[in-house]
Amino acid sequence: MKIAARVAIAASVVVVVLMLAGVVYISLYVGWLPGRAKPGDVVGTWAGPHGARVALRADGSATATEMPNDHSGYDPVDTFSGEGTWTLRRATNSLAEQYIQVEVGTGPGKGATIELVVDGDGARDGLHVPVSADSALGIDFRRAS
């Protein structure tokens, strides 16, 4: 009986160590953990795939170019461009702690809104547009300037 208890304890310790190693791996190398940022951390131009760019200025204004409006997986099906505003918001019920809401005019009487999730503290791991509500992955944006 004592041997079975020792084996169970050892197995439990191994499982806990592996789980902790997984969390460390994800946080350090994959960057899936939610991010925290101040508005100054995200000011600048961010570039994504297929020519997508968003410029976030300190005065709260924004310029979006070829931003994915609708996508099939990681490839945009429809894009939009325009001038508008951005706001750094705290998420209430998602894996992400913060996101940036960008609202731009795309034509007379038309507009579009996109949410960019903050990755890593200070947005050190970039921003992303989620590809689905069930995934922490998305279309990545990296600082261009």
Side-chain angles (χ1 to χ4, degrees):
M1 188 70 170
K2 289 183 179 184
I3 292 175
R6 288 182 183 163
V7 168
I9 290 171
S12 297
V13 169
V14 168
V15 168
V16 168
V17 167
L18 289 174
M19 288 175 59
L20 289 174
V23 169
V24 169
Y25 173 77
I26 288 173
S27 66
L28 295 177
Y29 297 104
V30 180
W32 287 354
L33 294 182
R36 292 179 298 268
K38 298 174 189 161
D41 295 333
V42 298
V43 168
T45 301
W46 297 84
H50 308 289
R53 293 175 81 78
V54 61
L56 307 173
R57 291 182 280 286
D59 66 359
S61 64
T63 301
T65 307
E66 300 297 320
M67 292 296 287
N69 194 34
D70 190 17
H71 44 80
S72 172
Y74 296 100
D75 295 318
V77 174
D78 185 31
T79 62
F80 68 89
S81 298
E83 298 282 331
T85 60
W86 68 275
T87 309
L88 183 62
R89 299 185 181 268
R90 181 157 306 280
T92 57
N93 60 353
S94 76
L95 292 175
E97 289 183 359
Q98 286 182 306
Y99 66 94
I100 299 164
Q101 183 173 324
V102 179
E103 298 177 357
V104 298
T106 59
K110 294 182 181 181
T113 301
I114 194 162
E115 293 178 354
L116 297 156
V117 177
V118 175
D119 293 328
D121 288 343
R124 73 169 182 269
D125 298 323
L127 308 173
H128 77 269
V129 176
V131 294
S132 78
D134 300 326
S135 175
L137 301 177
I139 300 170
D140 294 329
F141 283 75
R142 299 289 175 225
R143 187 176 294 279
S145 66

Short mmCIF file of all heavy atoms in Angstrom, two decimals, residues 15-56:
data_model
loop_
_atom_site.label_atom_id
_atom_site.label_comp_id
_atom_site.label_asym_id
_atom_site.label_seq_id
_atom_site.Cartn_x
_atom_site.Cartn_y
_atom_site.Cartn_z
N VAL A 15 2.93 15.60 -12.94
CA VAL A 15 1.86 16.28 -13.67
C VAL A 15 1.87 17.77 -13.37
O VAL A 15 1.78 18.60 -14.27
CB VAL A 15 0.49 15.64 -13.34
CG1 VAL A 15 -0.65 16.50 -13.85
CG2 VAL A 15 0.40 14.24 -13.94
N VAL A 16 2.01 18.15 -12.11
CA VAL A 16 2.03 19.56 -11.73
C VAL A 16 3.23 20.27 -12.36
O VAL A 16 3.10 21.37 -12.90
CB VAL A 16 2.03 19.72 -10.19
CG1 VAL A 16 2.34 21.15 -9.78
CG2 VAL A 16 0.70 19.27 -9.61
N VAL A 17 4.39 19.65 -12.33
CA VAL A 17 5.59 20.25 -12.92
C VAL A 17 5.40 20.44 -14.42
O VAL A 17 5.75 21.48 -14.98
CB VAL A 17 6.84 19.41 -12.60
CG1 VAL A 17 8.03 19.83 -13.45
CG2 VAL A 17 7.18 19.49 -11.13
N LEU A 18 4.84 19.45 -15.10
CA LEU A 18 4.60 19.57 -16.54
C LEU A 18 3.60 20.67 -16.86
O LEU A 18 3.76 21.41 -17.83
CB LEU A 18 4.14 18.23 -17.12
CG LEU A 18 5.21 17.14 -17.19
CD1 LEU A 18 4.59 15.82 -17.64
CD2 LEU A 18 6.33 17.56 -18.12
N MET A 19 2.57 20.80 -16.04
CA MET A 19 1.58 21.86 -16.25
C MET A 19 2.22 23.24 -16.07
O MET A 19 1.99 24.15 -16.87
CB MET A 19 0.39 21.69 -15.31
CG MET A 19 -0.50 20.51 -15.69
SD MET A 19 -1.83 20.18 -14.52
CE MET A 19 -2.72 21.70 -14.54
N LEU A 20 3.02 23.40 -15.04
CA LEU A 20 3.71 24.68 -14.82
C LEU A 20 4.68 24.98 -15.96
O LEU A 20 4.79 26.13 -16.40
CB LEU A 20 4.43 24.66 -13.47
CG LEU A 20 3.54 24.71 -12.24
CD1 LEU A 20 4.37 24.53 -10.97
CD2 LEU A 20 2.75 26.00 -12.19
N ALA A 21 5.38 23.97 -16.43
CA ALA A 21 6.30 24.16 -17.55
C ALA A 21 5.53 24.61 -18.79
O ALA A 21 5.99 25.46 -19.55
CB ALA A 21 7.08 22.88 -17.83
N GLY A 22 4.35 24.06 -19.00
CA GLY A 22 3.51 24.46 -20.13
C GLY A 22 3.09 25.92 -20.04
O GLY A 22 3.12 26.65 -21.02
N VAL A 23 2.70 26.36 -18.85
CA VAL A 23 2.30 27.75 -18.65
C VAL A 23 3.48 28.68 -18.92
O VAL A 23 3.35 29.71 -19.58
CB VAL A 23 1.72 27.97 -17.23
CG1 VAL A 23 1.56 29.45 -16.93
CG2 VAL A 23 0.40 27.25 -17.09
N VAL A 24 4.65 28.34 -18.42
CA VAL A 24 5.85 29.15 -18.65
C VAL A 24 6.17 29.19 -20.13
O VAL A 24 6.47 30.25 -20.69
CB VAL A 24 7.04 28.61 -17.83
CG1 VAL A 24 8.34 29.27 -18.26
CG2 VAL A 24 6.80 28.83 -16.35
N TYR A 25 6.11 28.05 -20.80
CA TYR A 25 6.39 28.00 -22.23
C TYR A 25 5.43 28.91 -23.00
O TYR A 25 5.86 29.70 -23.84
CB TYR A 25 6.29 26.57 -22.76
CG TYR A 25 6.39 26.48 -24.26
CD1 TYR A 25 7.63 26.59 -24.89
CD2 TYR A 25 5.26 26.33 -25.05
CE1 TYR A 25 7.74 26.53 -26.26
CE2 TYR A 25 5.36 26.27 -26.42
CZ TYR A 25 6.60 26.37 -27.03
OH TYR A 25 6.70 26.33 -28.38
N ILE A 26 4.15 28.80 -22.72
CA ILE A 26 3.16 29.62 -23.43
C ILE A 26 3.40 31.09 -23.17
O ILE A 26 3.37 31.91 -24.08
CB ILE A 26 1.73 29.20 -23.04
CG1 ILE A 26 1.41 27.84 -23.66
CG2 ILE A 26 0.71 30.23 -23.49
CD1 ILE A 26 0.10 27.24 -23.20
N SER A 27 3.65 31.46 -21.92
CA SER A 27 3.81 32.88 -21.61
C SER A 27 5.09 33.47 -22.18
O SER A 27 5.11 34.61 -22.62
CB SER A 27 3.76 33.10 -20.10
OG SER A 27 4.86 32.49 -19.46
N LEU A 28 6.19 32.70 -22.20
CA LEU A 28 7.45 33.24 -22.67
C LEU A 28 7.67 33.10 -24.17
O LEU A 28 8.24 33.98 -24.80
CB LEU A 28 8.62 32.57 -21.93
CG LEU A 28 8.71 32.84 -20.43
CD1 LEU A 28 9.87 32.06 -19.84
CD2 LEU A 28 8.87 34.32 -20.17
N TYR A 29 7.24 32.00 -24.74
CA TYR A 29 7.58 31.73 -26.13
C TYR A 29 6.42 31.86 -27.11
O TYR A 29 6.63 32.22 -28.25
CB TYR A 29 8.20 30.33 -26.25
CG TYR A 29 9.49 30.23 -25.48
CD1 TYR A 29 9.54 29.58 -24.27
CD2 TYR A 29 10.63 30.85 -25.96
CE1 TYR A 29 10.72 29.51 -23.55
CE2 TYR A 29 11.82 30.79 -25.24
CZ TYR A 29 11.86 30.13 -24.04
OH TYR A 29 13.01 30.08 -23.34
N VAL A 30 5.24 31.58 -26.69
CA VAL A 30 4.10 31.65 -27.60
C VAL A 30 3.42 33.01 -27.51
O VAL A 30 2.91 33.53 -28.48
CB VAL A 30 3.10 30.51 -27.32
CG1 VAL A 30 1.92 30.57 -28.25
CG2 VAL A 30 3.80 29.16 -27.46
N GLY A 31 3.42 33.62 -26.33
CA GLY A 31 2.83 34.94 -26.18
C GLY A 31 1.32 34.95 -26.20
O GLY A 31 0.72 35.93 -26.60
N TRP A 32 0.68 33.88 -25.77
CA TRP A 32 -0.77 33.84 -25.79
C TRP A 32 -1.41 34.46 -24.56
O TRP A 32 -2.61 34.60 -24.50
CB TRP A 32 -1.26 32.41 -25.89
CG TRP A 32 -1.05 31.80 -27.23
CD1 TRP A 32 -0.61 32.39 -28.36
CD2 TRP A 32 -1.30 30.44 -27.57
NE1 TRP A 32 -0.54 31.50 -29.38
CE2 TRP A 32 -0.96 30.29 -28.92
CE3 TRP A 32 -1.76 29.35 -26.87
CZ2 TRP A 32 -1.09 29.09 -29.59
CZ3 TRP A 32 -1.87 28.15 -27.54
CH2 TRP A 32 -1.55 28.03 -28.88
N LEU A 33 -0.61 34.77 -23.58
CA LEU A 33 -1.21 35.33 -22.38
C LEU A 33 -1.66 36.75 -22.64
O LEU A 33 -1.07 37.46 -23.44
CB LEU A 33 -0.21 35.27 -21.22
CG LEU A 33 0.14 33.86 -20.76
CD1 LEU A 33 1.09 33.93 -19.58
CD2 LEU A 33 -1.10 33.07 -20.37
N PRO A 34 -2.71 37.17 -21.98
CA PRO A 34 -3.24 38.50 -22.23
C PRO A 34 -2.24 39.59 -21.87
O PRO A 34 -1.36 39.40 -21.04
CB PRO A 34 -4.48 38.57 -21.33
CG PRO A 34 -4.37 37.45 -20.39
CD PRO A 34 -3.46 36.44 -20.98
N GLY A 35 -2.41 40.73 -22.51
CA GLY A 35 -1.49 41.82 -22.29
C GLY A 35 -2.11 42.99 -21.57
O GLY A 35 -3.32 43.14 -21.50
N ARG A 36 -1.22 43.81 -21.02
CA ARG A 36 -1.62 45.05 -20.38
C ARG A 36 -0.78 46.15 -21.00
O ARG A 36 0.43 45.98 -21.19
CB ARG A 36 -1.39 44.99 -18.88
CG ARG A 36 -2.32 44.02 -18.17
CD ARG A 36 -2.02 43.99 -16.69
NE ARG A 36 -0.67 43.52 -16.41
CZ ARG A 36 -0.35 42.26 -16.18
NH1 ARG A 36 -1.28 41.35 -16.17
NH2 ARG A 36 0.90 41.91 -15.94
N ALA A 37 -1.40 47.27 -21.29
CA ALA A 37 -0.67 48.38 -21.89
C ALA A 37 -1.27 49.70 -21.45
O ALA A 37 -2.44 49.77 -21.04
CB ALA A 37 -0.71 48.27 -23.42
N LYS A 38 -0.47 50.73 -21.55
CA LYS A 38 -0.93 52.10 -21.38
C LYS A 38 -1.11 52.66 -22.78
O LYS A 38 -0.49 52.18 -23.73
CB LYS A 38 0.10 52.91 -20.61
CG LYS A 38 0.35 52.40 -19.21
CD LYS A 38 1.48 53.18 -18.57
CE LYS A 38 1.86 52.50 -17.27
NZ LYS A 38 3.18 52.89 -16.80
N PRO A 39 -1.92 53.70 -22.94
CA PRO A 39 -2.09 54.25 -24.29
C PRO A 39 -0.78 54.56 -25.00
O PRO A 39 -0.63 54.29 -26.19
CB PRO A 39 -2.93 55.51 -24.04
CG PRO A 39 -3.74 55.17 -22.82
CD PRO A 39 -2.80 54.36 -21.96
N GLY A 40 0.21 55.09 -24.28
CA GLY A 40 1.49 55.41 -24.91
C GLY A 40 2.23 54.20 -25.43
O GLY A 40 3.05 54.31 -26.35
N ASP A 41 1.94 53.02 -24.89
CA ASP A 41 2.59 51.79 -25.34
C ASP A 41 2.17 51.37 -26.74
O ASP A 41 2.89 50.65 -27.42
CB ASP A 41 2.29 50.63 -24.38
CG ASP A 41 2.88 50.82 -23.00
OD1 ASP A 41 3.91 51.53 -22.87
OD2 ASP A 41 2.30 50.26 -22.05
N VAL A 42 0.97 51.78 -27.16
CA VAL A 42 0.45 51.32 -28.44
C VAL A 42 0.47 52.39 -29.53
O VAL A 42 0.14 52.12 -30.67
CB VAL A 42 -0.97 50.73 -28.29
CG1 VAL A 42 -0.94 49.52 -27.38
CG2 VAL A 42 -1.96 51.76 -27.79
N VAL A 43 0.87 53.63 -29.16
CA VAL A 43 0.96 54.70 -30.15
C VAL A 43 2.04 54.33 -31.15
O VAL A 43 3.13 53.89 -30.78
CB VAL A 43 1.26 56.05 -29.46
CG1 VAL A 43 1.64 57.11 -30.49
CG2 VAL A 43 0.06 56.51 -28.65
N GLY A 44 1.72 54.50 -32.42
CA GLY A 44 2.66 54.19 -33.49
C GLY A 44 1.95 53.49 -34.63
O GLY A 44 0.72 53.39 -34.65
N THR A 45 2.70 53.01 -35.57
CA THR A 45 2.14 52.30 -36.72
C THR A 45 2.38 50.81 -36.56
O THR A 45 3.49 50.38 -36.23
CB THR A 45 2.77 52.81 -38.03
OG1 THR A 45 2.53 54.22 -38.14
CG2 THR A 45 2.18 52.09 -39.24
N TRP A 46 1.33 50.05 -36.81
CA TRP A 46 1.36 48.60 -36.67
C TRP A 46 1.07 47.98 -38.03
O TRP A 46 0.13 48.38 -38.71
CB TRP A 46 0.33 48.14 -35.64
CG TRP A 46 0.60 48.68 -34.28
CD1 TRP A 46 0.24 49.91 -33.79
CD2 TRP A 46 1.31 48.03 -33.23
NE1 TRP A 46 0.68 50.06 -32.50
CE2 TRP A 46 1.34 48.92 -32.12
CE3 TRP A 46 1.92 46.80 -33.11
CZ2 TRP A 46 1.95 48.60 -30.93
CZ3 TRP A 46 2.53 46.47 -31.91
CH2 TRP A 46 2.54 47.37 -30.84
N ALA A 47 1.88 47.00 -38.42
CA ALA A 47 1.73 46.38 -39.74
C ALA A 47 1.32 44.91 -39.60
O ALA A 47 1.84 44.19 -38.76
CB ALA A 47 3.05 46.46 -40.50
N GLY A 48 0.39 44.51 -40.45
CA GLY A 48 -0.08 43.14 -40.48
C GLY A 48 0.13 42.54 -41.87
O GLY A 48 0.78 43.15 -42.73
N PRO A 49 -0.43 41.38 -42.12
CA PRO A 49 -0.25 40.73 -43.42
C PRO A 49 -1.06 41.40 -44.52
O PRO A 49 -2.02 42.13 -44.25
CB PRO A 49 -0.75 39.30 -43.16
CG PRO A 49 -1.72 39.44 -42.03
CD PRO A 49 -1.21 40.57 -41.19
N HIS A 50 -0.66 41.16 -45.74
CA HIS A 50 -1.38 41.62 -46.93
C HIS A 50 -1.52 43.14 -46.98
O HIS A 50 -2.53 43.66 -47.45
CB HIS A 50 -2.75 40.96 -47.04
CG HIS A 50 -2.72 39.47 -46.93
ND1 HIS A 50 -2.21 38.67 -47.92
CD2 HIS A 50 -3.09 38.64 -45.93
CE1 HIS A 50 -2.29 37.40 -47.55
NE2 HIS A 50 -2.81 37.35 -46.34
N GLY A 51 -0.53 43.87 -46.47
CA GLY A 51 -0.54 45.33 -46.53
C GLY A 51 -1.38 46.02 -45.48
O GLY A 51 -1.56 47.24 -45.52
N ALA A 52 -1.91 45.28 -44.53
CA ALA A 52 -2.73 45.89 -43.47
C ALA A 52 -1.85 46.74 -42.56
O ALA A 52 -0.76 46.32 -42.17
CB ALA A 52 -3.44 44.80 -42.66
N ARG A 53 -2.32 47.94 -42.25
CA ARG A 53 -1.61 48.84 -41.34
C ARG A 53 -2.62 49.65 -40.56
O ARG A 53 -3.68 49.98 -41.07
CB ARG A 53 -0.70 49.80 -42.12
CG ARG A 53 0.45 49.12 -42.82
CD ARG A 53 1.26 50.07 -43.66
NE ARG A 53 2.22 50.87 -42.92
CZ ARG A 53 3.39 50.44 -42.48
NH1 ARG A 53 3.74 49.19 -42.70
NH2 ARG A 53 4.22 51.23 -41.85
N VAL A 54 -2.23 49.97 -39.35
CA VAL A 54 -3.04 50.89 -38.55
C VAL A 54 -2.09 51.81 -37.81
O VAL A 54 -1.13 51.36 -37.20
CB VAL A 54 -4.01 50.14 -37.59
CG1 VAL A 54 -3.25 49.29 -36.59
CG2 VAL A 54 -4.93 51.12 -36.88
N ALA A 55 -2.34 53.12 -37.95
CA ALA A 55 -1.54 54.12 -37.25
C ALA A 55 -2.39 54.66 -36.10
O ALA A 55 -3.50 55.16 -36.33
CB ALA A 55 -1.15 55.25 -38.21
N LEU A 56 -1.86 54.53 -34.90
CA LEU A 56 -2.55 55.00 -33.70
C LEU A 56 -1.76 56.20 -33.17
O LEU A 56 -0.58 56.07 -32.83
CB LEU A 56 -2.60 53.89 -32.64
CG LEU A 56 -3.18 52.55 -33.11
CD1 LEU A 56 -3.01 51.50 -32.02
CD2 LEU A 56 -4.64 52.72 -33.49
#
